[in-house]
Amino acid sequence: MIETRVLNKIYRTEEVETTALNGVNITINDGEFVAVMGPSGCGKSTLLNIIGLLDGPTSGEYYFMGNEISGYTEKQRAQLRKGNIGFIFQSFNLIDELSVFENVELPLLYLGLDTAARTSKVEQALDRMGMMHRRNHFPQQLSGGQQQRVAIARAVVADAKLILADEPTGNLDSDHGDEVMKLLTELNESGTTIVMVTHSPHDAKYAGRLINLFDGKVVTEGQEEAFHV
């Protein structure tokens, strides 16, 4: 599903040049659950943004579902993102003015689905996450764990093939964090590919493989680095 070849990302200002990614080569297959770890500033979020087609590399090649997309425009990346990639963030990124139902419905609006199809898919996603009883509530009326469940429902509602999770338990206590990790494990077991950035060794143990970054480079990678809990 994902392959990068000598991927580089450099941020430049008039005075400073910062190398966020330096010759990164990774392959992630369909159905994998991969955790990406490393110290702050090592390039984890930059890598996730490029994998998620939110940003492009400075140089190198990036293949997503067989397409070499390093030269894609933002419009082309956005088109490929729709329906293929779901995002889960540490801060949930729910819209306070929208209900739970409306937050989960958003990706389907961008896909142009009719009302009946949207309603069916949203209800299925909320039921899967155990949040149907909160469909008319607003984010501020929910606990952190409930908000993250809604965020996961939004990520999966369009049947995304790839879920990208950036510190998905970072704002949660350990019990709610474990709930979220178990939900991600269930999604992976049902066939969804998951790439997760985390600082937590505990969360990383849920993954089948661990990639460690340091100073923008892959320093270790392998199945033996991660163990299921």
Side-chain angles (χ1 to χ4, degrees):
M1 174 177 277
I2 292 167
E3 182 181 4
T4 70
R5 299 178 183 173
V6 199
L7 200 70
N8 298 293
K9 183 64 178 181
I10 299 172
Y11 295 102
R12 294 185 176 94
T13 66
E14 290 184 2
E15 299 178 355
V16 179
E17 180 175 290
T18 303
T19 299
L21 296 175
N22 187 0
V24 170
N25 298 298
I26 61 170
T27 300
I28 297 171
N29 298 314
D30 281 340
E32 279 202 279
F33 187 161
V34 177
V36 181
M37 295 190 74
S40 296
C42 71
K44 300 187 301 296
S45 292
T46 299
L47 179 61
L48 207 67
N49 285 341
I50 292 176
I51 289 174
L53 307 176
L54 297 172
D55 198 2
T58 304
S59 62
E61 300 175 4
Y62 172 36
Y63 294 85
F64 177 65
M65 295 173 57
N67 301 291
E68 206 290 290
I69 58 86
S70 58
Y72 274 29
T73 64
E74 166 54 28
K75 185 175 181 180
Q76 289 172 313
R77 291 198 304 268
Q79 193 63 35
L80 188 56
R81 243 185 353 253
K82 286 193 298 187
N84 287 317
I85 303 176
F87 296 90
I88 303 168
F89 302 96
Q90 176 178 345
S91 56
F92 318 132
N93 282 21
L94 301 176
I95 298 173
D96 288 338
E97 294 77 20
L98 298 182
S99 69
V100 163
F101 185 97
E102 291 166 336
N103 266 283
V104 176
E105 184 184 30
L106 267 180
L108 303 180
L109 291 171
Y110 296 134
L111 289 174
L113 271 65
D114 63 41
T115 302
R118 293 200 308 271
T119 298
S120 175
K121 281 186 167 293
V122 172
E123 288 178 349
Q124 287 176 31
L126 287 176
D127 187 57
R128 191 176 185 184
M129 294 299 128
M131 290 300 295
M132 266 294 286
H133 64 298
R134 297 284 194 171
R135 58 178 291 166
N136 295 319
H137 287 69
F138 291 87
Q140 291 175 335
Q141 297 174 298
L142 306 178
S143 68
Q146 290 172 329
Q147 289 188 59
Q148 196 60 297
R149 281 174 175 264
V150 174
I152 295 172
R154 181 184 58 191
V156 303
V157 71
D159 301 314
K161 299 173 181 65
L162 172 65
I163 297 294
L164 301 178
D166 194 354
E167 299 285 357
T169 68
N171 283 339
L172 304 177
D173 60 37
S174 59
D175 287 343
H176 286 120
D178 282 341
E179 283 183 15
V180 166
M181 292 310 304
K182 287 172 183 174
L183 287 171
L184 292 179
T185 300
E186 290 170 10
L187 288 171
N188 176 244
E189 289 172 347
S190 69
T192 305
T193 305
I194 296 177
V195 181
M196 174 182 68
V197 161
T198 182
H199 279 101
S200 166
H202 175 76
D203 289 356
K205 289 179 182 177
Y206 283 88
R209 183 156 61 98
L210 178 61
I211 296 173
N212 273 303
L213 292 182
F214 186 77
D215 286 347
K217 298 179 180 180
V218 175
V219 290
T220 59
E221 177 183 0
Q223 208 77 26
E224 71 279 0
E225 297 289 342
F227 304 91
H228 286 289
V229 291

